[in-house]
Amino acid sequence: MTMPKGTLFIVSGPSGSGKDTVLGRLLAAHPEIQLSISSITRPMRQGEVEGEKYHFITREAFEQMLRENALLESNVYLGNYYGTPRAPVEAAIAAGRDMILEIDVNGAAKVRAQMPEAVSIFIMPPSLEVLEQRLSGRGTEDAETVRGRLKEAVGEIARAADYDYIVVNDDLDEAVESLTAVIVGQRAKIARQKYLIDEVLQDVKSRNW
Amino acid sequence: MTMPKGTLFIVSGPSGSGKDTVLGRLLAAHPEIQLSISSITRPMRQGEVEGEKYHFITREAFEQMLRENALLESNVYLGNYYGTPRAPVEAAIAAGRDMILEIDVNGAAKVRAQMPEAVSIFIMPPSLEVLEQRLSGRGTEDAETVRGRLKEAVGEIARAADYDYIVVNDDLDEAVESLTAVIVGQRAKIARQKYLIDEVLQDVKSRNW
């Protein structure tokens, strides 16, 4: 029996989109979905656990992965490397499991180029007003900082048209339902289910009608 | 404000797929989804109501619709015409509503040719064994009749690869969840949500940052 492959879902969303809350709810309800874990070279911070959100590896190990093309994408930030290991993603997909890769718009573009079959989802606020309210609602930053965050978020929204799906996070329950539907619906795609047709037709052949 | 368009979903499934039960459950939970109503020329049978499952129209009216290209597809069966009116489908989509058209594999191919943007879903049994059990389980037909139905169903399954999605009806709840996910997930498609990005960017322009 041929196993259907899993799907890599690229999920992005600007600050103020509520992406982490939506993703958290999805993953709690769907433990069968794996989350991609980045490999990074910055030092571990207090409270962080190896393998939970990140794999903490040495600069040498990271550079070797770069040489071996073992990363789907990588980035340098404040002198440290950040990247997405290719092997766990390929293993999950081959085993028929779905994987979510949470990444910014630049990283998403790099991964899409490497894996065009990945399905990308952009989580966005319902409007500029709501985004502004959410970003200033934290109340801890001055107007200038909020304005800077808002501009950054808008810059990401401007690239949302490159994604396959847009999940609007106005009402949280609806956003979770929408994201869940995109992921569960993808499992019914003909590319993932065609093996079933082949099985029935093979079975017909083996009988001598 | 630009309204996002709705989607036409073409749904097919052979006898024994449980298509009607799955669709019934979906429509009961999602009254916002419209069902396409065929126009037919055969006489009304006892218990049938005009406009419920069919529009009962005259042969002359049907032939005029044919001349005016007012049907998405049509067929002749036992001397009577059967067809799918184009106008209600186009009106629903333009108004942002989703519509389901329940139709066989031949009709589905004709509609797909007319509306390539339609999303097609094939509901199928999990295996040949289960299909056989379901078709003979009714217990009212002889083996020859069951064999005939089985061959007909297999002939339809052989064309399921032309569909965008396959919903496997093994467990009814899972089949309903899968079909619902395909339809709800489609609403998040970039083609339907792009207007939101444009709105945010327009809104940004109108402010003088």
Side-chain angles (χ1 to χ4, degrees):
Chain A
M1 179 174 143
T2 327
M3 271 290 294
K5 285 188 177 183
T7 299
L8 174 64
F9 294 94
I10 301 168
V11 179
S12 305
S15 176
S17 67
K19 177 189 59 175
D20 293 341
T21 312
V22 175
L23 268 180
R25 286 266 299 266
L26 170 86
L27 293 169
H30 286 272
E32 80 280 10
I33 302 172
Q34 276 187 266
L35 196 63
S36 169
I37 297 174
S38 301
S39 288
I40 67 178
T41 64
R42 73 156 168 75
M44 206 185 278
R45 292 176 191 148
Q46 191 147 22
E48 287 185 330
V49 177
E50 157 61 28
E52 200 177 79
K53 283 197 73 175
Y54 301 107
H55 290 300
F56 297 90
I57 67 173
T58 63
R59 171 171 290 270
E60 292 68 37
F62 199 101
E63 287 173 344
Q64 182 163 353
M65 289 179 86
L66 281 175
R67 282 191 301 272
E68 291 171 349
N69 193 24
L71 295 156
L72 278 179
E73 58 80 38
S74 67
N75 206 355
V76 180
Y77 182 67
L78 299 178
N80 289 302
Y81 286 120
Y82 294 77
T84 304
R86 181 190 298 271
V89 174
E90 292 184 343
I93 290 171
R97 288 194 301 272
D98 290 328
M99 190 172 239
I100 286 181
L101 171 60
E102 195 186 336
I103 199 163
D104 70 1
V105 290
N106 292 316
K110 291 179 193 171
V111 175
R112 235 184 253 116
Q114 296 269 322
M115 296 191 68
E117 69 277 25
V119 171
S120 59
I121 303 162
F122 190 88
I123 299 179
M124 74 177 265
S127 69
L128 191 60
E129 281 77 10
V130 171
L131 180 63
E132 197 165 22
Q133 281 162 24
R134 286 183 190 165
L135 292 177
S136 45
R138 298 173 181 174
T140 48
E141 287 98 7
D142 58 83
E144 204 49 52
T145 309
V146 170
R147 175 63 53 88
R149 290 237 171 109
L150 193 55
K151 284 189 178 176
E152 206 175 303
V154 167
E156 291 189 42
I157 291 171
R159 294 173 67 185
D162 294 340
Y163 286 70
D164 299 310
Y165 295 90
I166 304 279
V167 165
V168 183
N169 184 15
D170 188 1
D171 175 87
L172 178 62
D173 285 339
E174 284 177 21
V176 173
E177 189 196 350
S178 175
L179 179 62
T180 307
V182 170
I183 290 173
V184 173
Q186 204 68 24
R187 295 176 184 164
K189 269 265 173 189
I190 183 69
R192 282 178 69 159
Q193 295 296 334
K194 199 178 169 304
Y195 79 102
L196 257 181
I197 305 171
D198 299 337
E199 275 180 14
V200 170
L201 299 181
Q202 270 302 325
D203 215 355
V204 169
K205 260 195 201 164
S206 72
R207 304 189 179 196
N208 288 310
W209 284 354
Chain B
M1 179 176 142
T2 328
M3 270 290 293
K5 285 188 177 183
T7 300
L8 174 65
F9 293 95
I10 301 168
V11 179
S12 306
S15 176
S17 67
K19 176 188 58 174
D20 293 340
T21 312
V22 176
L23 269 181
R25 287 267 298 266
L26 170 86
L27 294 169
H30 287 271
E32 80 280 10
I33 302 171
Q34 275 186 267
L35 196 62
S36 168
I37 297 175
S38 300
S39 288
I40 67 178
T41 64
R42 74 155 167 75
M44 208 184 278
R45 293 176 190 147
Q46 190 146 25
E48 287 184 330
V49 176
E50 158 60 29
E52 199 177 80
K53 283 197 74 175
Y54 301 107
H55 290 301
F56 296 91
I57 67 173
T58 63
R59 170 172 291 270
E60 292 68 35
F62 199 101
E63 287 172 347
Q64 182 162 353
M65 289 181 84
L66 280 176
R67 281 192 300 272
E68 291 170 349
N69 193 24
L71 295 157
L72 277 179
E73 58 80 37
S74 67
N75 206 354
V76 180
Y77 181 66
L78 299 180
N80 289 302
Y81 286 121
Y82 294 78
T84 304
R86 181 191 298 271
V89 174
E90 292 183 343
I93 290 172
R97 288 194 300 273
D98 289 329
M99 190 172 239
I100 287 181
L101 170 60
E102 195 185 336
I103 199 163
D104 71 1
V105 290
N106 292 316
K110 290 179 193 170
V111 175
R112 234 184 255 116
Q114 296 269 323
M115 297 192 69
E117 69 277 24
V119 171
S120 59
I121 303 162
F122 190 88
I123 299 179
M124 74 176 265
S127 69
L128 191 61
E129 281 77 9
V130 171
L131 179 63
E132 196 165 22
Q133 280 162 25
R134 287 183 189 165
L135 291 178
S136 45
R138 298 174 182 174
T140 47
E141 288 97 6
D142 59 82
E144 204 49 50
T145 309
V146 170
R147 174 64 51 89
R149 292 236 171 108
L150 193 55
K151 284 188 176 175
E152 205 176 303
V154 167
E156 293 189 40
I157 292 171
R159 295 173 66 184
D162 295 339
Y163 287 69
D164 298 309
Y165 294 90
I166 303 278
V167 165
V168 182
N169 184 15
D170 188 0
D171 174 87
L172 178 62
D173 285 338
E174 284 177 19
V176 172
E177 188 196 350
S178 175
L179 179 62
T180 306
V182 169
I183 290 172
V184 173
Q186 205 67 25
R187 296 175 183 164
K189 268 267 175 187
I190 183 69
R192 282 178 70 160
Q193 296 296 334
K194 200 179 169 303
Y195 79 102
L196 257 181
I197 305 171
D198 299 337
E199 274 181 13
V200 169
L201 299 182
Q202 271 301 325
D203 214 355
V204 169
K205 261 195 200 162
S206 71
R207 305 188 180 196
N208 288 310
W209 282 354

